[in-house]
């Protein structure tokens, strides 16, 4: 079999010649998935040169169709060799997979994503424009709510690397529309979770944390009608309110990507704020970060967890740029004013002097996102649906000369953001 | 029961070639437990098995089998308690001798004298029965030289020989690694069958993560002469290959956390 792809107006045409059987079905699926990753959501299969179509081949076509529908894209076979039409008709899939005569693709076919914004903020006024684009990344700015802003509740029951005292723990509700990050775990009470406390991240009713009792995978909770997720936490930053903007970004040149601090700067510019918060779903270029390897709850008076080499027992560092092409959900709080009350909960970003931030990220297998304006709740739900978190990191800016891993960066994604208008400190 | 206390072994100490092969191994393998040892190349897995078998003197530490301190026993004396199978199918058997002769030898394991190979009728019947239990059809080839068998068949026989007298401890060092996948799976299954049937205490070194997940009761992960992680009980029954790979990854990452990274993390992990 031979697979070739070409752009035709707004569509991506994949031409297959030869036999589409079990041996080739995966290759075709992989090829189309790569195209979807690159942002081609209107895909047509030119099957005029197809000589054979097995049921394995048909199954891969149905899979492609399903995956494209999930991102509000479209898929169909056109044109098809007569025997392909016949095969599909006999298996009752004609209507699903064959598209009839279409308008030439470059005539105004609705752009991808136009039908994706139904159900999102109805009050949203959508303005798209090309913003300043750091490192050849295209930013598309959508206003969701001109008055959108978030209130942050901060709780620091624990300061690294002291012992965790009685009463340091707080029950933190993390149901929609809250989002946040910190150190905690799910469990009955403070004692129950003492040995499992780990980094967490939460948004849109999904909560993931990395239990530090030797687990290699994050654990997670997802909100449903009767279940409202919450964690017991010794540190937390939780935002609540309405997002003012949605930034969509994608590479304008090959290999272009957006770093986390690019994103901070872009959000601060867009929201015209000194302090802001973001929730971002993106395809990963590379992540740099650390996570707790042992629970702070286990720190004894004689321990010095903050010092090398003892730090190795307590923190695990990624060691290289990780999770290329995976999906990530990032929650971050950041400001450029060291005297801001929030600054006490943030750390300097060494490669952007003046900027302070705190960001956690949970990594999942890649799921393509529809284009245009997206609803945060629905998007996060899609990403977590039938998908298991792979890793969870406290993101680090590694500016070590020569050997530094740099910052976390993303290829494309959606970033919901808002200025921070209010801050409450909870003391326990 | 195998009890290892604080085992240390350094090869070529004080020379540029110095290798700290075992750095304080503490392990307790209860009676009837089947444990797999996994680890990167050179992590000390074979050295650990060799230490137990008595291939060299320890620098420090003690080895107990069933409560007996055998640290000072010479290798041949330990052989009365320990059965071994190596990676090389040709290591455990004598190629020119027949199957029956090889097996007769193993029946006398641990005895230093009297290697007479004349087989009594009853012994021959027992040998045939046990060989038949392998289900490899080898009972008809008892008088053929063992060198005519395939690698998998030889490993199966070596396993039979090593467990003939129900050793107090069975040591397996990558004993399926040199076999083709199908033979490896057969020998692995046979290993499990014999260990369970005879309720043996066993230590198996393997590079095969699926094997480590499927066969034993316990997984011992080694790195640079240390035991870095163990999986037993419920945790063992839940563990899957990707978890083991992730755990290796974690060990590897830990080494990259040098003072400069520590400084970075100290500042940014607020
Ligand atoms: N008899 C010996 N003399 C000198 N050095 C040795 C000896 N045996 C082992 N070593 C060294 O000790 C270290 C551990 O080796 P060992 O064979 O135990 O590793 P291993 O975990 O079994 O590795 P592999 O997976 O490659 O079999 C290695 O650096 C090896 O070179
Ligand atoms: Mg070895």
């Amino acid at each position: 079999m031979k697979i070739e792809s070409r752009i035709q107006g707004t569509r991506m045409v994949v031409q297959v010649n030869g036999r589409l059987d079990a041996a080739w079905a995966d290759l075709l699926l992989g090829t189309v998935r790569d195209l979807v990753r690159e942002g081609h959501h209107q895909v047509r299969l030119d099957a005029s040169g197809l000589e054979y179509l097995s049921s394995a081949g048909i199954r891969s076509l149905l899979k492609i169709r399903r995956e494209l529908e999930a991102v509000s894209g479209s898929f169909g076979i056109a044109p098809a060799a007569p025997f392909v039409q016949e095969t599909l008709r006999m298996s009752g899939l004609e209507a699903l997979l064959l598209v009839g005569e279409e308008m030439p693709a470059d005539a105004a076919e609705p752009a991808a994503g136009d039908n994706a914004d139904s159900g999102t903020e109805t009050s949203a006024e959508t303005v798209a424009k090309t913003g300043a684009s750091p490192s050849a990344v295209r930013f598309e700015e959508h206003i969701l709510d001109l008055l959108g802003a978030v209130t942050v509740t901060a709780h620091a029951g624990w300061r690294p690397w002291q012992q965790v005292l009685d009463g340091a723990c707080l029950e933190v509700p993390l149901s929609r529309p809250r989002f946040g990050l910190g150190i905690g775990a799910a469990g009955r009470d403070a004692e129950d979770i003492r040995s499992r406390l780990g980094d967490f991240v939460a948004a849109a009713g999904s909560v993931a944390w990395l239990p530090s009792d030797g687990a290699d995978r994050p654990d997670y909770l997802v909100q449903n009608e009767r279940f409202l997720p919450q964690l017991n936490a010794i540190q937390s930053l939780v935002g609540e309110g309405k997002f003012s903007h949605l930034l969509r970004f994608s590479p304008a040149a090959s290999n272009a990507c957006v770093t986390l601090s690019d994103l901070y700067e872009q959000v601060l510019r867009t929201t015209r704020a000194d302090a802001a918060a973001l929730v971002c779903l993106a395809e990963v270029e590379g992540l740099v970060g650390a996570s707790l390897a042992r629970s702070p709850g286990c720190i004894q008076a004689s321990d010095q967890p903050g010092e090398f080499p003892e730090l190795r027992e307590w923190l695990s560092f990624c060691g290289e740029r990780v999770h290329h092409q995976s999906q990530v959900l990032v929650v971050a709080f950041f400001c450029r004013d060291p005297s801001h009350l929030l600054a006490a909960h943030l750390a300097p970003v060494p490669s952007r002097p003046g900027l302070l931030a705190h960001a956690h990220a949970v990594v999942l297998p890649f799921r393509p996102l529809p284009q245009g304006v997206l609803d945060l709740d629905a998007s996060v739900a899609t990403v977590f649906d039938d998908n298991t978190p792979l890793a969870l990191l406290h993101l680090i800016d590694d500016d070590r000369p020569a050997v530094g891993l740099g910052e976390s960066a993303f290829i494309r994604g959606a970033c919901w953001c808002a200025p921070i208008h209010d801050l409450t400190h909870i003391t326990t | 029961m195998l009890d290892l206390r604080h085992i240390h072994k350094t090869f070529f100490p004080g020379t540029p070639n110095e290798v700290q092969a075992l750095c304080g191994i503490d392990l307790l393998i209860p009676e009837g437990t089947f444990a797999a040892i996994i680890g990167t190349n050179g992590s000390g897995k074979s050295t650990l098995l060799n230490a137990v078998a008595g291939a060299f003197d320890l620098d420090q530490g003690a080895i107990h089998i069933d409560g007996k301190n055998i640290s000072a026993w010479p290798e041949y004396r330990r052989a009365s308690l320990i059965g071994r199978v190596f990676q090389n199918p040709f290591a455990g058997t004598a190629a020119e001798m027949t199957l029956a002769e090889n097996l007769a030898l193993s029946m006398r394991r641990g005895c230093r004298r009297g290697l007479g190979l004349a087989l009594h009728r009853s012994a021959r019947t027992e040998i045939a029965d046990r060989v038949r239990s392998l289900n490899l059809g080898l009972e008809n080839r008892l008088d053929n030289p063992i060198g005519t068998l395939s690698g998998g068949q030889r490993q199966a026989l070596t396993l039979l020989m090593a467990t003939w007298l129900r050793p107090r401890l069975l040591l397996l060092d990558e004993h399926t690694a040199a076999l083709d996948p199908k033979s490896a799976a057969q020998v692995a299954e046979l290993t499990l069958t014999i260990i369970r049937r005879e309720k043996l205490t066993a230590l198996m070194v393997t590079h095969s993560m699926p094997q480590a997940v499927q066969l034993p009761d316990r997984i011992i992960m080694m790195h640079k002469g240390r035991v870095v992680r163990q999986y037993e009980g419920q945790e063992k029954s839940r563990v899957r290959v990707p978890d083991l790979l992730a755990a290796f990854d974690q060990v590897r990452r830990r080494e990259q956390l040098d003072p400069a990274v520590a400084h970075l993390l100290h500042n940014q992990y607020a």
Side-chain angles (χ1 to χ4, degrees):
Chain A
M1 197 180 72
K2 204 166 129 203
I3 302 178
E4 276 168 342
S5 57
R6 59 175 187 270
I7 292 177
Q8 213 169 69
T10 56
R11 299 188 193 120
M12 174 56 74
V13 177
V14 180
Q15 177 152 6
V16 287
N17 292 325
R19 299 169 57 84
L20 179 52
D21 53 18
W24 292 102
D26 283 348
L27 180 65
L28 176 64
L29 190 60
T31 307
V32 176
R33 278 183 180 159
D34 284 346
L35 294 171
V36 173
R37 266 175 196 280
E38 286 165 18
H40 302 288
H41 292 183
Q42 313 297 326
V43 179
R44 295 295 173 270
L45 192 80
D46 180 343
S48 51
L50 207 59
E51 290 156 13
Y52 174 77
L53 178 62
S54 77
S55 6
I58 295 180
R59 228 176 345 233
S60 69
L61 297 178
L62 287 171
K63 216 173 197 166
I64 291 170
R65 192 189 124 95
R66 208 166 340 125
E67 292 185 8
L68 277 163
E69 273 187 345
V71 295
S72 309
S74 73
F75 176 72
I77 304 175
F83 92 89
V84 172
Q85 299 185 17
E86 183 60 16
T87 310
L88 294 177
R89 201 177 51 74
M90 286 190 314
S91 43
L93 296 170
E94 197 183 13
L96 271 184
L97 289 173
L98 287 182
V99 292
E101 285 294 302
E102 284 186 297
M103 299 273 285
D106 38 9
E109 168 168 311
D114 270 11
N115 47 357
D117 57 355
S118 55
T120 60
E121 312 269 2
T122 43
S123 62
E125 178 190 334
T126 304
V127 178
K129 71 163 194 238
T130 307
S133 38
S135 44
V137 168
R138 190 168 36 238
F139 273 96
E140 206 181 271
E141 193 180 304
H142 302 276
I143 298 173
L144 300 176
D145 183 339
L146 276 171
L147 299 177
V150 298
T151 308
V152 173
T153 308
H155 161 239
W158 176 68
R159 282 288 173 188
W161 289 91
Q162 301 160 2
Q163 276 183 276
V164 173
L165 304 174
D166 288 340
C169 224
L170 184 72
E171 270 188 11
V172 181
L174 292 163
S175 46
R176 284 188 289 269
R178 297 184 184 93
F179 60 94
L181 55 81
I183 297 170
R188 276 190 320 277
D189 51 40
E191 230 14 73
D192 182 37
I193 55 147
R194 186 170 264 279
S195 63
R196 290 184 284 127
L197 290 160
D199 301 280
F200 78 80
V201 59
S206 291
V207 181
W209 77 100
L210 189 67
S212 54
D213 56 0
D216 299 320
R217 290 291 174 96
D219 208 344
Y220 64 109
L221 301 170
V222 174
Q223 178 170 359
N224 61 34
E225 286 135 58
R226 269 171 300 169
F227 175 74
L228 304 179
Q230 62 170 27
L231 293 181
N232 279 290
I234 54 170
Q235 254 191 17
S236 61
L237 275 177
V238 177
E240 196 172 354
K242 280 202 150 187
F243 291 108
S244 57
H245 294 81
L246 168 64
L247 299 176
R248 296 301 310 258
F249 54 92
S250 55
S254 60
N255 296 328
C257 59
V258 51
T259 66
L260 189 56
S261 64
D262 286 342
L263 210 51
Y264 294 154
E265 297 284 7
Q266 187 73 23
V267 167
L268 292 173
R269 253 197 310 274
T270 305
T271 57
R272 296 194 178 80
D274 272 339
L278 66 79
V279 176
C280 178
L281 279 174
E283 181 181 349
V284 174
E285 186 277 325
L287 295 181
V288 181
S291 55
L292 282 166
R294 278 185 75 186
S295 175
C298 299
I299 298 175
Q300 303 292 317
S302 57
D303 292 334
Q304 292 200 314
E307 305 302 319
F308 183 84
E310 225 184 294
L311 186 73
R312 284 178 162 190
E313 310 291 329
W314 300 89
L315 269 187
S316 157
F317 180 60
C318 60
E320 60 194 10
R321 298 181 68 81
V322 287
H323 301 300
H324 180 59
Q325 291 199 329
S326 297
Q327 185 97 38
V328 73
L329 170 68
V330 183
V331 170
F333 298 87
F334 43 99
C335 73
R336 60 173 148 228
D337 173 8
S339 64
H340 197 286
L341 283 175
L342 187 65
H345 304 273
L346 313 179
V349 179
S351 58
R352 295 284 170 118
L355 209 56
L356 297 113
H358 194 161
H360 286 192
V362 56
V363 182
L364 297 108
F366 181 73
R367 288 282 160 89
L369 296 173
Q371 289 156 351
V373 177
L374 293 182
D375 175 53
L376 173 66
D377 293 349
S379 305
V380 172
T382 312
V383 167
F384 272 83
D385 181 37
D386 202 16
N387 214 355
T388 319
L390 303 171
L392 203 148
L393 291 169
H394 170 114
L395 301 180
I396 298 282
D397 176 7
D398 181 2
D399 71 333
R400 284 176 296 159
V403 294
L405 302 177
E407 275 189 273
S408 299
F410 314 100
I411 299 169
R412 57 175 60 78
C415 173
W416 292 262
C417 54
I420 293 173
H421 271 187
D422 213 355
L423 181 74
T424 315
H425 282 275
I426 297 186
T427 40
T428 46
Chain B
M1 187 179 73
L2 172 68
D3 185 359
L4 303 181
R5 292 182 208 160
H6 225 60
I7 308 274
H8 282 265
K9 181 67 191 178
T10 302
F11 291 109
F12 312 119
T15 73
N17 295 329
E18 176 174 307
V19 184
Q20 293 187 12
L22 299 175
C23 317
I25 304 278
D26 287 297
L27 270 181
L28 187 69
I29 313 289
E31 184 71 33
T33 297
F34 178 12
I37 304 179
I38 57 176
T40 43
N41 288 110
S43 55
K45 306 179 296 293
S46 300
T47 306
L48 182 64
L49 260 53
N50 290 334
V52 174
F56 48 75
D57 289 332
L58 301 179
D59 297 340
Q60 208 184 311
I63 301 170
H64 292 75
I65 292 185
D66 294 341
K68 279 194 283 282
N69 187 341
I70 61 159
S71 312
W73 292 21
E75 189 165 9
Y76 76 86
R77 190 166 168 215
R78 297 189 198 188
S80 62
L81 301 178
I82 298 174
R84 297 189 78 174
V85 185
F86 300 88
Q87 175 174 348
N88 183 348
F90 304 100
T93 49
E96 342 53 66
M97 284 164 48
T98 66
L99 272 65
E101 286 165 347
N102 268 288
L103 288 162
L105 253 182
S106 71
M107 290 168 78
R108 299 186 174 82
R109 174 169 46 83
C111 312
R112 273 201 286 172
R113 307 203 142 266
L115 289 182
L117 294 178
L119 286 175
H120 297 293
R121 187 170 293 277
S122 64
R124 204 178 153 89
T125 317
E126 193 190 347
I127 285 177
D129 284 347
R130 293 230 203 167
V131 170
R132 191 174 298 115
S133 75
L134 296 178
N135 270 330
L136 296 171
L138 294 177
E139 57 277 13
N140 304 320
R141 297 173 63 179
L142 287 180
D143 293 317
N144 295 6
I146 214 164
T148 61
L149 302 185
S150 75
Q153 290 170 330
R154 268 179 94 153
Q155 277 314 59
L157 273 186
T158 313
L159 192 61
L160 188 65
M161 288 162 56
T163 55
W164 193 281
L165 296 179
R166 196 173 178 278
R168 304 304 306 154
L169 178 67
L170 177 63
L171 299 178
L172 308 163
D173 193 352
E174 300 191 54
H175 69 306
T176 66
L179 306 178
D180 63 275
K182 195 161 157 254
S183 307
Q186 273 177 357
V187 171
E189 195 183 311
L190 184 67
T191 306
L192 189 64
T193 308
I194 293 179
I195 288 174
R196 292 296 180 232
R197 190 181 62 211
E198 306 288 327
K199 300 190 173 58
L200 299 179
T201 310
L203 269 182
M204 173 183 76
V205 172
T206 181
H207 272 286
S208 157
M209 297 298 126
Q211 241 180 41
V213 165
Q214 286 158 20
L215 302 181
D217 307 305
R218 187 199 283 207
I219 302 174
I220 296 162
M221 186 179 285
M222 288 187 65
H223 184 66
K224 297 205 169 162
R226 292 191 162 81
V227 172
V228 289
R229 185 89 195 251
Q230 293 200 56
Y231 298 84
E232 51 191 317
Q234 269 206 345
E235 198 188 10
K236 161 64 184 60
S237 54
R238 276 202 310 262
V239 76
R240 295 292 168 265
V241 173
D243 304 317
L244 294 182
L245 298 178
F248 273 125
D249 210 43
Q250 213 169 344
V251 170
R252 196 182 46 74
R253 284 201 310 266
R254 189 176 183 282
E255 294 188 328
Q256 304 199 2
L257 207 164
D258 60 21
V261 174
H263 179 73
L264 198 72
L265 297 185
H266 193 96
N267 289 342
Q268 288 184 55
Y269 199 91

